[in-house]
Every structure is written in C-alpha cells, then in structure tokens.
Amino acid sequence: MRRIGVAVTLSAMGVLASTLAPTTAPMAHAGTRECAEGRSQFVPDSPPALGRLAAPQAWRLSTGKGVVVAVVDSGVSANNVHFPAGSVLPGKSFVGGSATTDENGHGTALAGVIAARDIGEKSGVVGVARDAVILPVKISGGEGGDEEQQRSANLAGGIAYAVSAGADVINLSLSTTGDRRDVRAAIASAVKAGIIVVASGGNREQASEASDGMRYPAGYPGVIGVAATDNRDVVTENSIRGPQVDLSAPGDNVITTFRSWGDCVYSQQQQSSSYATAYVSGAAALLRQRFPSASAADISYRLTATASRGSRTARDDTSGWGVVQPYEAMTAALDSSVSGPVPPGGVQRPSPEAQASAVDLTPAQDPRAPDRAAVQWLLLGSGAAVLGLAMARMLRRPSRS
C-alpha cells in the first residue's frame, strides 16, 4: 500500500517502547471506584467507540466469528468474565509462565477492545469483533524482567509465532523509531502469509518518541498504521504524525476489560493509539469473516478507501485516509468511481458495469438475406404488373350513361 519515508536505523536490538502503559485512573462515571486489583467491578455503559464506528450496524453482517486475532503484547487474562471458554487460545509466552496471564493489563485491555463477550446488563463492555478468537502472544511482562527489553528481544519471535499458529489478524499496539532487520523479516513473512497486520503509529508521551516521523512496525510494507482520535473524531497532538499512518480510530475513554477483574475505563485524559490499533484490528476481523477469500491487501484497501475523511482524494500524515468505518468497508461497491488509495495491483479497478460482458446491439448478418431480397423484389414487381393490367382494362371499357 505505500511506503514513502526514510528508515531510521538504530542498533540491531533497537529501543522498543509500548505506545501506552495502561492507566488506572478513576472512572468517569458517578458512583464507581478506581480500578484496583482484586476488586471486580463493571461499567454498565457501552464503549463510546462502538457507536462512533457504527458497530451495531456492522454486526448485522459480521461479528468476527471464526477469525483468530493475535495480540502480541503482555498476555491476556483469560479468566476475565468477558472471555468464556474457547474465546482465548492458550497462545505462547516468551517470558515464562502462561500467555493467558497478564501482570501488566495492557494486553487484556486490547483483547477486550477486540473481542470481549457480552455478559449482560451489568456490563456494557463488548468487543468490536465480539465473536473473534484471541491468540495471546506474551512478549513482555514476565516476572523479573525489564518490559522494554523483553519487548525488543521477543517482538520478531512473537510475530513469527502468530504466523505459524494460524492468526488471521495480528495486533501490534507498540512502536519504535528503529528499523530492525529481524522485525522487518517477521512482518514480511506475515504479509506473505496473507495475514492482516495492524500496528500503532506511535504516541508522543515517551520522551524518545516526542518528534514526528516514521515509526515501526507500522512503517513496514503491508502494515496498517493507526493514529488515535478524540471524541470528535479528531487526531490530537498525542499521536505521532508520519507516513506510517494509514487510518485513525477512537483512542480515548476506552471502556474495556481489566485483567481478571471485570471492566475499567482507560485513557481518559489523552488519546492512545494502542486502543485505536485494537479497534482497527477488530474492524479487520469483521471484514475477514465477511470476505473469507479476500486477500489481506484487498481488506486493507476496503478499510482505507471507505474511511471517513474530509478530502476523498488524499491522505495526510495525521489521520492517514481517515477514521475507520467497518460497516461502510463491508458494504461499499469499490469501482472506478471511488477516490482515495490505489487498489491492490496499482491500477484503478473498472466498474462492475465495465467488467460485465458488453451486449452487441448490431443486427446479426442473415446469410439468406440476398435471396430473400430478390424474392421480395420479384413479388413487388409482379404485383405492380398485375395492377397495371387491371387499370388498362378499366380504361378501355365503354362508359355507361
């Protein structure tokens, strides 16, 4: 789908920072308590992002059923009530222990955004691809290790495992300025395997990532890079600008799963591309179920071509092609009249009308036409002769007085 931009090469290991450490700020709901370990609570409100993305409409066409989404992060707490048996696979941990545990909480929050199950009236939390299956790939958060170092050391291996384990979508809510050969190769392998890869475009909150510019893995070919919007669907200053941004999605006031203890509201004070990335991964899962034989490039094209934006003809480094719209992505007729990104193959697709067989309106040549014409002239001539003789006889008759 692109890429323009200059690779910024750091050391072989690079410096990899998660785009967000989960916050546990007080919920913005009267009567609720702060999210705290060991104390389950639920938020009855529906996540605001679901309305902004028209998820209820999209669910009439697809819920992500049967689609496997790999969350390469800090693990997923599979004992959260929003993840019944079968909704979270065993996965793999690269840092010891089980991938279905999450000491950090970041991976569980992402998994909830993507595929949390509805548990009834006590909680409004549900994922955008509510029937998708989560494959947890734990690359950080293990006991006794530095999380950034763990992420850096295990990212390429985590992506490779997701490919081998049969993921349909890979969610990478992390970013770095370093263009690493091992990560680039792992991403290339995923793209070649037909997997939809979605990654964060970067957050400004880390001092090392304060300036705009290319971020990875979002900047690698075939990856959908994501920026975060506020409640007005506007990308704010917290998101990194750069050529890696393809789409934007909600990233504030995210109501989602909180480790083993129900729900929590994250990112209340600022936007986070971590959660925006998860919303786009969920949208990709909806399209993967809807179009099971489509290529990853075709699905990426649908997501970008139908995104909501001011100018239909151009992207920018702030919001990419605009805010993702999964319902429109599943229902749009993408023909030659659609403005925006270049479709896979590099040429504008012909319209369905142009693709249909043209109807030849020229009359077919009749091989017996000359014979029929001769007969017609003969009959016409004979008729004229008979008429002439009759007229002559009438003129020769004597008149009667």
Side-chain angles (χ1 to χ4, degrees):
M1 285 175 57
R2 56 175 180 286
R3 284 280 187 245
I4 317 166
V6 180
V8 180
T9 305
L10 299 182
S11 65
M13 290 301 292
V15 179
L16 187 67
S18 171
T19 55
L20 180 74
T23 60
T24 54
M27 295 184 182
H29 302 272
T32 60
R33 302 168 296 186
E34 291 186 3
C35 305
E37 295 183 10
R39 186 173 58 192
S40 295
Q41 63 180 11
F42 299 95
V43 181
D45 299 342
S46 175
L50 296 184
R52 283 150 58 190
L53 299 180
Q57 279 184 291
W59 292 335
R60 298 173 191 168
L61 304 175
S62 172
T63 58
K65 187 174 183 178
V67 178
V68 177
V69 182
V71 176
V72 182
D73 209 271
S74 61
V76 175
S77 294
N79 59 352
N80 188 294
V81 68
H82 288 284
F83 299 124
S87 62
V88 178
L89 299 174
K92 181 176 180 178
S93 174
F94 288 77
V95 292
S98 170
T100 54
T101 61
D102 183 8
E103 295 78 13
N104 177 294
H106 193 239
T108 303
L110 300 173
V113 166
I114 297 167
R117 302 302 199 254
D118 186 357
I119 61 170
E121 294 182 357
K122 67 180 179 181
S123 171
V125 168
V126 61
V128 66
R130 61 188 187 183
D131 288 330
V133 175
I134 297 294
L135 174 68
V137 184
K138 189 171 182 175
I139 62 169
S140 66
E143 297 292 339
D146 179 271
E147 288 202 19
E148 290 189 16
Q149 290 180 356
Q150 289 176 338
R151 247 179 245 116
S152 180
N154 298 316
L155 178 57
I159 296 169
Y161 168 75
V163 174
S164 66
D168 298 299
V169 180
I170 297 178
N171 184 90
L172 300 170
S173 289
L174 42 81
S175 69
T176 177
T177 55
D179 178 5
R180 289 176 39 186
R181 182 178 300 176
D182 60 340
V183 177
R184 178 184 284 269
I187 291 291
S189 176
V191 171
K192 184 178 180 180
I195 299 171
I196 306 159
V197 184
V198 188
S200 166
N203 286 343
R204 207 177 299 281
E205 61 201 28
Q206 284 87 24
S208 62
E209 296 193 354
S211 60
D212 290 326
M214 184 67 85
R215 296 293 184 274
Y216 302 97
Y220 293 131
V223 179
I224 302 173
V226 184
T229 63
D230 60 16
N231 59 7
R232 300 168 300 153
D233 292 333
V234 174
V235 176
T236 59
E237 280 302 315
N238 194 49
S239 276
I240 296 293
R241 276 74 168 151
Q244 74 277 8
V245 178
D246 297 300
L247 286 170
S248 47
D252 66 341
N253 286 313
V254 177
I255 308 175
T256 186
T257 44
F258 175 57
R259 293 177 64 186
S260 301
W261 302 291
D263 309 340
C264 189
V265 181
Y266 292 84
S267 200
Q268 297 181 65
Q269 306 303 320
Q270 60 186 355
Q271 296 71 44
S272 168
S273 59
S274 279
Y275 303 123
T277 300
Y279 276 117
V280 173
S281 290
L286 295 179
L287 267 69
R288 171 48 73 213
Q289 182 198 350
R290 181 69 173 170
F291 305 107
S293 59
S295 69
D298 282 333
I299 289 177
S300 297
Y301 174 65
R302 278 192 166 272
L303 290 170
T304 51
T306 59
S308 176
R309 53 187 178 272
S311 171
R312 300 306 303 171
T313 59
R315 68 162 293 283
D316 59 54
D317 284 354
T318 299
S319 61
W321 289 106
V323 180
V324 67
Q325 301 292 317
Y327 179 76
E328 285 76 4
M330 287 189 285
T331 57
L334 299 182
D335 56 32
S336 58
S337 67
V338 176
S339 301
V342 176
V347 294
Q348 199 67 41
R349 288 174 173 158
S351 66
E353 292 79 8
Q355 289 179 318
S357 298
V359 178
D360 186 2
L361 299 179
T362 304
Q365 183 65 40
D366 185 352
R368 299 182 61 187
D371 296 337
R372 295 187 185 189
V375 172
Q376 289 172 352
W377 281 110
L378 178 60
L379 292 175
L380 183 60
S382 300
V386 171
L387 182 60
L389 290 173
M391 291 294 293
R393 289 176 180 174
M394 290 178 64
L395 291 175
R396 287 198 297 267
R397 288 177 183 174
S399 62
R400 295 178 181 178
S401 59

